[in-house]
Amino acid sequence: QVQLVESGGGLVQAGGSLGLSCAASGSIFSINFMGWYRQAPGKQRELVAVIFSGGSTNYADSVKGRFTISRDNAKNTVYLQMNSLKPDDTAVYYCNAGVMQTSGSRLLSYWGQGTQVTVSS
């Protein structure tokens, strides 16, 4: 009922930049938050950044100062601008959103399919 589609992943040299986008579509009454997680092979999925409905943001310490999360509410889209990329940033990046599909309904968490980000040294 709700789909999240990520784009923007790819291969980049260390020190470079990459921008990710995630657009939500489907049965959406409101989106309470949108965020980005990442998972490297053999590691647990971890929160990278999240932006809440009120505009507040949280970042993982490892990306603070390098990554910026933003949103376009009219497009139900969240962005992640990644600068000064490091090889340790290599992972599959997943978009996550907390969605109310109808007024008063429970908040449901949805995930995108993931997009690969590879940073070469």
Side-chain angles (χ1 to χ4, degrees):
Q1 293 177 311
V2 175
Q3 289 185 317
L4 304 178
V5 179
E6 302 109 327
S7 62
L11 176 64
V12 65
Q13 185 177 325
S17 298
L18 205 60
L20 305 181
S21 299
C22 172
S25 62
S27 300
I28 299 172
F29 176 77
S30 65
I31 299 178
N32 295 77
F33 63 85
M34 298 188 78
W36 292 93
Y37 289 72
R38 66 186 182 187
Q39 187 169 25
K43 298 189 67 177
Q44 301 241 325
R45 188 172 299 187
E46 63 176 353
L47 176 68
V48 178
V50 61
I51 185 165
F52 300 96
S53 59
S56 298
T57 58
N58 284 335
Y59 295 91
D61 288 341
S62 60
V63 308
K64 198 169 298 182
R66 299 187 297 121
F67 292 9
T68 302
I69 189 168
S70 60
R71 65 184 182 182
D72 185 335
N73 290 335
K75 298 179 179 179
N76 287 332
T77 299
V78 63
Y79 307 94
L80 185 68
Q81 180 61 45
M82 304 183 292
N83 299 324
S84 301
L85 282 162
K86 306 173 181 179
D88 284 348
D89 296 318
T90 296
V92 177
Y93 284 70
Y94 296 91
C95 180
N96 174 243
V99 178
M100 290 182 63
Q101 294 184 275
T102 60
S103 180
S105 66
R106 63 181 178 177
L107 187 69
L108 299 178
S109 180
Y110 291 89
W111 292 89
Q113 81 286 353
T115 185
Q116 177 71 46
V117 172
T118 302
V119 184
S120 62
S121 60

